Amino acid sequence: MRRNTSILMLSVGHGCVDVYQGAVASLVPFFVAERAYSYAAVSGVVLAASVLSSVVQPVFGLLTDRWAMPWLLPVSTLLGGLGVAVSGVCEGYVPTLACVAASGLGVAAYHPESARVARLASRGSHSGMSWFSLGGNLGFALAPLLVSAVVSTGFGLRLSPLLVVPAVAGSVLCLPVLRSLRVPGGAGGGSRVPAGSDDRASFVRLSLAVVCRSVVFTGLSTFVSLYAGQRLGGGTAAGTAALFVLYLGGAVGSVLGGRLAGRWDRVAVARWSYLAAAVAVAGLVTVPGPVLYLFVALASIGLYVPFSLQVTLGQDYLPSRVGTASGVTLGLTVSVGGLASPLLGGLADATSLQAALLPLSLMPVLSWLLFRTLPEPRVPAHLAGAREPDPGEGAGQLPVPPRQPGA
């Protein structure tokens, strides 16, 4: 299998998993409409999807630093899909939380190992990782359309079991990629790549910046559909459109981030992107009328330009713990943002949704300040020779660097 084909299939598989992160927020208006959930209650649903990820994903990262676990890709994809699919037919609030939490567990298990495999497939290139991230962001973008197509019928949430289809497709799709890359598996199949010099202080500051980014994006993904419906008077349709624009802007930002990092260093690109995002979020909350959609797109692009760059930065700050770095930057720090959702929901119940969203414009500024303290790390030696994939190139089968025993 050609190298670019492997990256493409990994990207599509990533989208089949991340559609379930977007699906949780996309189901929020339907939970409100059919089950009369309050803002605080739907915030709890979003929290349930992220809280297990915040605890478990770094654990899976530690495990994948010690042993390759390629079987996690198909298994976790199925778990992520089943949790969301069953959540719409559960009886009661607690079973719904449990199903959504199970989906979050599947998503958490998927990302550290998939990021390790994508790093090998892309040979550490920023462009390759940005295409891998693009798949996830497209999954986010398609989630509101998928959920709306399935649930916006006369049957409502009762048709939610149909949402398992992308999970089945994604789990099947990743199998030939894993075989072609000869990714080792099992307890004796190998362990992590050669260690480098870790910069833990920079990694901690990077993680704090990702937390701030996560707070604002999770807040927007939870409430922008309801906010757009209120401000524009378009109801569920206006909200679904706003959520689609939010996620589609993330897809554009991911690819743009890889392109920009080819010309300037990753830290500088991320720093300026966060400043632009702060302005866009403020405009989203304060400027009335249909121009709201423009600010939603600009905020999403600004928040997602640094996304794949933060993953590779974390891996380069902790070259001896690539799985752990991926688990933190893709999991723990992202999921911590979900902890702020109930606070925003409670504030919205007490005041207004606009008043609750306004403080989010400050979070990208904090990320910008943290990035001002970060150095641009060196690319690890075993990936230093990587070059950007050429779409027309017929690359041969990709060799997998050996992984040394022990962690």
Side-chain angles (χ1 to χ4, degrees):
M1 183 179 293
R2 292 170 52 179
R3 178 178 63 180
N4 294 325
T5 302
S6 297
I7 295 173
L8 175 62
M9 294 181 74
L10 286 171
S11 178
V12 174
H14 190 190
C16 289
V17 173
D18 278 6
V19 73
Y20 296 108
Q21 294 197 76
V24 174
S26 302
L27 286 169
V28 163
F30 298 98
F31 285 138
V32 172
E34 294 191 26
R35 301 180 180 179
Y37 287 172
S38 66
Y39 289 141
V42 294
S43 298
V45 172
V46 176
L47 176 62
S50 61
V51 68
L52 275 181
S53 297
S54 66
V55 175
V56 176
Q57 192 161 157
V59 174
F60 281 105
L62 289 169
L63 292 174
T64 58
D65 278 332
R66 186 172 183 86
W67 300 289
M69 305 171 73
W71 55 267
L72 275 178
L73 272 64
V75 171
S76 60
T77 300
L78 287 173
L79 180 59
L82 285 171
V84 166
V86 177
S87 68
V89 293
C90 285
E91 294 291 338
Y93 184 66
V94 173
T96 299
L97 292 181
C99 290
V100 173
S103 177
L105 178 62
V107 171
Y110 173 85
H111 281 95
E113 181 68 359
S114 67
R116 182 185 73 84
V117 173
R119 180 177 172 89
L120 296 177
S122 67
R123 295 179 183 174
S125 75
H126 306 322
S127 178
M129 287 299 291
S130 72
W131 283 105
F132 173 70
S133 297
L134 171 65
N137 296 328
L138 287 177
F140 267 102
L142 293 174
L145 301 182
L146 175 65
V147 169
S148 181
V150 172
V151 182
S152 291
T153 64
F155 295 98
L157 289 171
R158 285 176 290 177
L159 288 184
S160 66
L162 293 177
L163 295 174
V164 78
V165 172
V168 175
S171 63
V172 172
L173 187 64
C174 70
L175 297 178
V177 178
L178 296 178
R179 285 197 298 267
S180 70
L181 295 180
R182 297 198 304 268
V183 178
S191 56
R192 61 181 178 83
V193 296
S197 177
D198 292 342
D199 183 354
R200 297 181 181 179
S202 292
F203 182 77
V204 169
R205 294 196 296 273
L206 171 70
S207 300
L208 292 175
V210 179
V211 167
C212 295
R213 176 215 171 271
S214 174
V215 169
V216 61
F217 188 80
T218 303
L220 291 178
S221 64
T222 304
F223 294 113
V224 74
S225 60
L226 295 171
Y227 181 69
Q230 290 180 4
R231 291 295 297 272
L232 302 178
T236 302
T240 299
L243 200 58
F244 175 73
V245 171
L246 181 74
Y247 293 157
L248 185 61
V252 173
S254 292
V255 175
L256 183 60
R259 298 282 186 177
L260 294 176
R263 299 189 61 182
W264 297 282
D265 66 68
R266 291 167 289 179
V267 171
V269 170
R271 190 167 61 237
W272 288 108
S273 297
Y274 278 127
L275 271 186
V279 175
V281 173
L284 185 162
V285 178
T286 58
V287 177
V291 74
L292 165 75
Y293 291 116
L294 174 62
F295 283 111
V296 170
L298 293 176
S300 181
I301 292 171
L303 291 170
Y304 262 96
V305 163
F307 186 77
S308 66
L309 307 183
Q310 290 167 162
V311 176
T312 59
L313 280 170
Q315 292 172 337
D316 290 345
Y317 285 141
L318 294 183
S320 70
R321 294 290 185 271
V322 169
T324 301
S326 301
V328 172
T329 56
L330 285 171
L332 178 61
T333 51
V334 173
S335 300
V336 165
L339 298 176
S341 290
L343 299 178
L344 292 174
L347 181 59
D349 287 331
T351 56
S352 69
L353 198 50
Q354 183 179 26
L357 295 178
L358 187 59
L360 293 180
S361 61
L362 299 177
M363 304 309 294
V365 177
L366 297 178
S367 294
W368 172 75
L369 291 172
L370 287 163
F371 262 89
R372 285 178 57 86
T373 70
L374 293 177
E376 179 70 19
R378 293 182 178 181
V379 177
H382 69 285
L383 296 173
R387 55 188 176 87
E388 302 300 309
D390 180 355
E393 176 186 335
Q397 185 164 289
L398 177 67
V400 176
R403 306 178 76 180
Q404 305 300 321

